[in-house]
Short mmCIF file of all heavy atoms in Angstrom, two decimals:
data_model
loop_
_atom_site.label_atom_id
_atom_site.label_comp_id
_atom_site.label_asym_id
_atom_site.label_seq_id
_atom_site.Cartn_x
_atom_site.Cartn_y
_atom_site.Cartn_z
N ALA A 376 -44.87 -12.94 8.51
CA ALA A 376 -43.88 -13.48 9.42
C ALA A 376 -42.43 -13.17 8.93
O ALA A 376 -41.56 -12.79 9.69
CB ALA A 376 -44.04 -14.98 9.60
N GLY A 377 -42.16 -13.40 7.65
CA GLY A 377 -40.95 -13.13 7.07
C GLY A 377 -40.56 -11.71 7.09
O GLY A 377 -39.46 -11.30 7.47
N PHE A 378 -41.54 -10.88 6.67
CA PHE A 378 -41.26 -9.33 6.71
C PHE A 378 -41.06 -8.87 8.12
O PHE A 378 -40.06 -8.11 8.39
CB PHE A 378 -42.55 -8.69 6.20
CG PHE A 378 -42.40 -7.19 5.91
CD1 PHE A 378 -41.53 -6.78 4.86
CD2 PHE A 378 -42.98 -6.31 6.71
CE1 PHE A 378 -41.48 -5.40 4.70
CE2 PHE A 378 -42.86 -4.89 6.44
CZ PHE A 378 -42.13 -4.41 5.51
N GLU A 379 -41.73 -9.39 9.14
CA GLU A 379 -41.54 -8.99 10.48
C GLU A 379 -40.25 -9.45 11.06
O GLU A 379 -39.55 -8.75 11.86
CB GLU A 379 -42.73 -9.49 11.37
CG GLU A 379 -43.98 -8.81 11.17
CD GLU A 379 -43.94 -7.30 11.35
OE1 GLU A 379 -43.35 -6.97 12.42
OE2 GLU A 379 -44.63 -6.64 10.76
N ALA A 380 -39.80 -10.58 10.65
CA ALA A 380 -38.46 -11.14 11.17
C ALA A 380 -37.37 -10.23 10.65
O ALA A 380 -36.43 -9.97 11.41
CB ALA A 380 -38.20 -12.55 10.65
N ILE A 381 -37.45 -9.78 9.32
CA ILE A 381 -36.34 -8.97 8.88
C ILE A 381 -36.38 -7.58 9.51
O ILE A 381 -35.22 -7.09 9.90
CB ILE A 381 -36.56 -8.76 7.32
CG1 ILE A 381 -36.40 -10.16 6.56
CG2 ILE A 381 -35.67 -7.65 6.84
CD1 ILE A 381 -36.68 -9.98 5.16
N LYS A 382 -37.60 -6.98 9.70
CA LYS A 382 -37.60 -5.73 10.56
C LYS A 382 -37.05 -5.95 11.95
O LYS A 382 -36.39 -5.02 12.40
CB LYS A 382 -39.03 -5.24 10.61
CG LYS A 382 -39.60 -4.71 9.30
CD LYS A 382 -40.83 -3.95 9.41
CE LYS A 382 -41.98 -4.72 10.09
NZ LYS A 382 -43.24 -3.82 10.33
N ARG A 383 -37.47 -6.98 12.53
CA ARG A 383 -37.10 -7.14 13.98
C ARG A 383 -35.52 -7.35 14.12
O ARG A 383 -34.97 -6.77 14.91
CB ARG A 383 -37.78 -8.36 14.51
CG ARG A 383 -37.49 -8.66 16.03
CD ARG A 383 -38.26 -9.72 16.57
NE ARG A 383 -38.15 -11.01 15.88
CZ ARG A 383 -39.10 -11.49 15.01
NH1 ARG A 383 -40.21 -10.97 14.92
NH2 ARG A 383 -38.77 -12.73 14.40
N GLY A 384 -35.03 -8.12 13.08
CA GLY A 384 -33.60 -8.33 13.07
C GLY A 384 -32.80 -7.02 12.79
O GLY A 384 -31.75 -6.77 13.41
N LEU A 385 -33.24 -6.14 11.89
CA LEU A 385 -32.61 -4.93 11.66
C LEU A 385 -32.76 -3.93 12.78
O LEU A 385 -31.80 -3.21 13.07
CB LEU A 385 -33.21 -4.24 10.40
CG LEU A 385 -32.38 -3.17 9.65
CD1 LEU A 385 -31.10 -3.73 9.20
CD2 LEU A 385 -33.14 -2.55 8.49
N GLU A 386 -33.85 -3.91 13.41
CA GLU A 386 -33.93 -3.06 14.60
C GLU A 386 -32.94 -3.48 15.82
O GLU A 386 -32.35 -2.69 16.34
CB GLU A 386 -35.33 -3.18 15.17
CG GLU A 386 -35.58 -2.36 16.39
CD GLU A 386 -37.01 -2.52 17.13
OE1 GLU A 386 -37.83 -3.23 16.37
OE2 GLU A 386 -37.26 -2.05 18.20
N ALA A 387 -33.04 -4.87 16.04
CA ALA A 387 -32.05 -5.33 17.11
C ALA A 387 -30.59 -5.09 16.57
O ALA A 387 -29.74 -4.74 17.45
CB ALA A 387 -32.28 -6.80 17.16
N TRP A 388 -30.22 -5.20 15.24
CA TRP A 388 -28.90 -4.90 14.88
C TRP A 388 -28.54 -3.45 15.16
O TRP A 388 -27.46 -3.12 15.64
CB TRP A 388 -28.83 -5.14 13.39
CG TRP A 388 -27.66 -4.52 12.73
CD1 TRP A 388 -26.33 -4.91 12.68
CD2 TRP A 388 -27.57 -3.29 12.00
NE1 TRP A 388 -25.44 -4.11 12.04
CE2 TRP A 388 -26.23 -3.01 11.60
CE3 TRP A 388 -28.59 -2.32 11.68
CZ2 TRP A 388 -25.90 -1.94 10.76
CZ3 TRP A 388 -28.13 -1.27 10.84
CH2 TRP A 388 -26.86 -1.01 10.45
N GLY A 389 -29.46 -2.50 14.89
CA GLY A 389 -29.17 -1.05 15.08
C GLY A 389 -28.92 -0.82 16.60
O GLY A 389 -27.96 -0.13 16.97
N GLN A 390 -29.78 -1.44 17.48
CA GLN A 390 -29.60 -1.19 18.91
C GLN A 390 -28.26 -1.73 19.43
O GLN A 390 -27.57 -1.17 20.21
CB GLN A 390 -30.81 -1.81 19.65
CG GLN A 390 -32.12 -1.03 19.41
CD GLN A 390 -33.26 -1.95 19.73
OE1 GLN A 390 -33.21 -3.11 20.19
NE2 GLN A 390 -34.52 -1.32 19.80
N ALA A 391 -28.08 -2.99 18.95
CA ALA A 391 -26.78 -3.69 19.44
C ALA A 391 -25.55 -2.97 18.96
O ALA A 391 -24.46 -2.91 19.52
CB ALA A 391 -26.79 -5.07 19.02
N SER A 392 -25.64 -2.43 17.72
CA SER A 392 -24.42 -1.75 17.06
C SER A 392 -23.96 -0.47 17.79
O SER A 392 -22.86 -0.05 17.45
CB SER A 392 -24.84 -1.45 15.57
OG SER A 392 -25.70 -0.34 15.52
N GLU A 393 -24.77 -0.01 18.73
CA GLU A 393 -24.39 1.17 19.51
C GLU A 393 -23.14 0.78 20.43
O GLU A 393 -22.40 1.59 20.78
CB GLU A 393 -25.51 1.66 20.35
CG GLU A 393 -26.67 2.18 19.61
CD GLU A 393 -26.40 3.47 18.90
OE1 GLU A 393 -25.29 4.00 19.10
OE2 GLU A 393 -27.26 3.93 18.11
N SER A 394 -23.06 -0.54 20.69
CA SER A 394 -21.94 -1.00 21.63
C SER A 394 -21.09 -2.09 21.03
O SER A 394 -19.95 -2.35 21.45
CB SER A 394 -22.59 -1.44 22.95
OG SER A 394 -23.53 -2.45 22.71
N VAL A 395 -21.58 -2.82 20.05
CA VAL A 395 -20.84 -3.84 19.33
C VAL A 395 -20.74 -3.63 17.95
O VAL A 395 -21.82 -3.18 17.23
CB VAL A 395 -21.47 -5.27 19.61
CG1 VAL A 395 -20.74 -6.31 19.00
CG2 VAL A 395 -21.55 -5.42 21.18
N ASP A 396 -19.60 -3.69 17.31
CA ASP A 396 -19.51 -3.51 15.86
C ASP A 396 -19.99 -4.69 15.02
O ASP A 396 -19.33 -5.89 15.12
CB ASP A 396 -17.97 -3.29 15.45
CG ASP A 396 -17.80 -2.96 13.97
OD1 ASP A 396 -18.80 -2.66 13.37
OD2 ASP A 396 -16.62 -2.83 13.57
N ILE A 397 -21.08 -4.69 14.48
CA ILE A 397 -21.79 -5.68 13.80
C ILE A 397 -21.90 -5.31 12.30
O ILE A 397 -22.72 -4.42 12.01
CB ILE A 397 -23.14 -6.17 14.40
CG1 ILE A 397 -22.99 -6.47 15.89
CG2 ILE A 397 -23.78 -7.25 13.51
CD1 ILE A 397 -24.27 -6.60 16.55
N ARG A 398 -21.26 -5.98 11.43
CA ARG A 398 -21.32 -5.72 10.02
C ARG A 398 -22.56 -6.32 9.31
O ARG A 398 -22.72 -7.57 9.44
CB ARG A 398 -20.01 -6.14 9.21
CG ARG A 398 -19.99 -5.71 7.88
CD ARG A 398 -18.54 -6.09 7.27
NE ARG A 398 -17.62 -5.17 7.84
CZ ARG A 398 -17.33 -3.93 7.54
NH1 ARG A 398 -18.04 -3.37 6.57
NH2 ARG A 398 -16.30 -3.26 8.15
N LEU A 399 -23.25 -5.54 8.49
CA LEU A 399 -24.31 -6.14 7.76
C LEU A 399 -23.67 -6.58 6.43
O LEU A 399 -22.96 -5.84 5.76
CB LEU A 399 -25.35 -5.08 7.42
CG LEU A 399 -26.26 -4.83 8.55
CD1 LEU A 399 -27.44 -3.82 7.95
CD2 LEU A 399 -26.87 -5.99 9.17
N VAL A 400 -23.95 -7.83 6.01
CA VAL A 400 -23.33 -8.39 4.92
C VAL A 400 -24.51 -8.71 3.88
O VAL A 400 -25.50 -9.46 4.30
CB VAL A 400 -22.60 -9.77 5.23
CG1 VAL A 400 -22.04 -10.40 3.97
CG2 VAL A 400 -21.44 -9.44 6.17
N ALA A 401 -24.30 -8.39 2.66
CA ALA A 401 -25.29 -8.63 1.62
C ALA A 401 -25.31 -10.15 1.32
O ALA A 401 -24.32 -10.83 1.35
CB ALA A 401 -25.07 -7.78 0.35
N GLU A 402 -26.50 -10.66 0.96
CA GLU A 402 -26.68 -12.03 0.58
C GLU A 402 -25.67 -12.44 -0.45
O GLU A 402 -25.13 -13.56 -0.56
CB GLU A 402 -28.01 -12.41 0.31
CG GLU A 402 -28.96 -12.42 1.38
CD GLU A 402 -30.39 -12.68 1.04
OE1 GLU A 402 -30.72 -12.64 -0.22
OE2 GLU A 402 -31.28 -12.89 1.94
N SER A 403 -25.48 -11.61 -1.48
CA SER A 403 -24.50 -11.92 -2.64
C SER A 403 -23.14 -12.06 -2.16
O SER A 403 -22.34 -12.96 -2.58
CB SER A 403 -24.58 -10.78 -3.60
OG SER A 403 -24.24 -9.53 -3.11
N GLU A 404 -22.73 -11.32 -1.13
CA GLU A 404 -21.41 -11.47 -0.55
C GLU A 404 -21.24 -12.64 0.34
O GLU A 404 -20.20 -13.23 0.39
CB GLU A 404 -21.08 -10.20 0.24
CG GLU A 404 -19.62 -10.12 0.74
CD GLU A 404 -19.17 -8.93 1.58
OE1 GLU A 404 -20.08 -8.09 1.85
OE2 GLU A 404 -18.11 -8.81 1.88
N ALA A 405 -22.31 -13.00 0.97
CA ALA A 405 -22.34 -14.15 1.88
C ALA A 405 -22.13 -15.48 1.28
O ALA A 405 -21.91 -16.41 1.91
CB ALA A 405 -23.57 -14.11 2.79
N THR A 406 -22.27 -15.53 -0.04
CA THR A 406 -22.07 -16.84 -0.78
C THR A 406 -20.61 -17.25 -0.67
O THR A 406 -20.34 -18.37 -0.90
CB THR A 406 -22.44 -16.66 -2.23
OG1 THR A 406 -21.70 -15.62 -2.87
CG2 THR A 406 -23.92 -16.30 -2.39
N ALA A 407 -19.68 -16.35 -0.33
CA ALA A 407 -18.26 -16.69 -0.14
C ALA A 407 -17.95 -17.22 1.22
O ALA A 407 -16.82 -17.53 1.58
CB ALA A 407 -17.41 -15.58 -0.58
N ILE A 408 -18.97 -17.21 2.10
CA ILE A 408 -18.83 -17.53 3.47
C ILE A 408 -19.34 -18.98 3.76
O ILE A 408 -20.45 -19.26 3.16
CB ILE A 408 -19.52 -16.54 4.50
CG1 ILE A 408 -18.86 -15.12 4.19
CG2 ILE A 408 -19.33 -16.93 5.91
CD1 ILE A 408 -19.67 -14.12 4.97
N THR A 409 -18.70 -19.73 4.60
CA THR A 409 -19.21 -21.06 5.02
C THR A 409 -19.97 -20.97 6.34
O THR A 409 -19.46 -20.51 7.33
CB THR A 409 -18.12 -22.08 5.21
OG1 THR A 409 -17.26 -22.19 4.01
CG2 THR A 409 -18.60 -23.44 5.62
N PHE A 410 -21.34 -21.25 6.29
CA PHE A 410 -22.25 -21.15 7.37
C PHE A 410 -22.70 -22.61 7.72
O PHE A 410 -22.49 -23.50 6.93
CB PHE A 410 -23.47 -20.37 7.03
CG PHE A 410 -23.24 -18.85 6.87
CD1 PHE A 410 -23.09 -18.32 5.63
CD2 PHE A 410 -23.15 -18.06 7.97
CE1 PHE A 410 -22.87 -16.95 5.48
CE2 PHE A 410 -22.88 -16.64 7.82
CZ PHE A 410 -22.89 -16.13 6.51
N PRO A 411 -23.24 -22.76 8.98
CA PRO A 411 -23.73 -24.10 9.32
C PRO A 411 -24.85 -24.47 8.40
O PRO A 411 -25.55 -23.54 7.78
CB PRO A 411 -24.30 -23.89 10.83
CG PRO A 411 -23.63 -22.68 11.22
CD PRO A 411 -23.37 -21.81 10.04
#
Side-chain angles (χ1 to χ4, degrees):
F378 189 71
E379 289 300 321
I381 293 173
K382 286 197 302 182
R383 183 172 60 251
L385 197 59
E386 178 186 353
W388 165 78
Q390 292 166 350
S392 70
E393 298 289 353
S394 54
V395 180
D396 187 7
I397 303 172
R398 182 172 296 279
L399 286 187
V400 175
E402 289 178 346
S403 59
E404 185 181 7
T406 57
I408 300 172
T409 300
F410 290 98

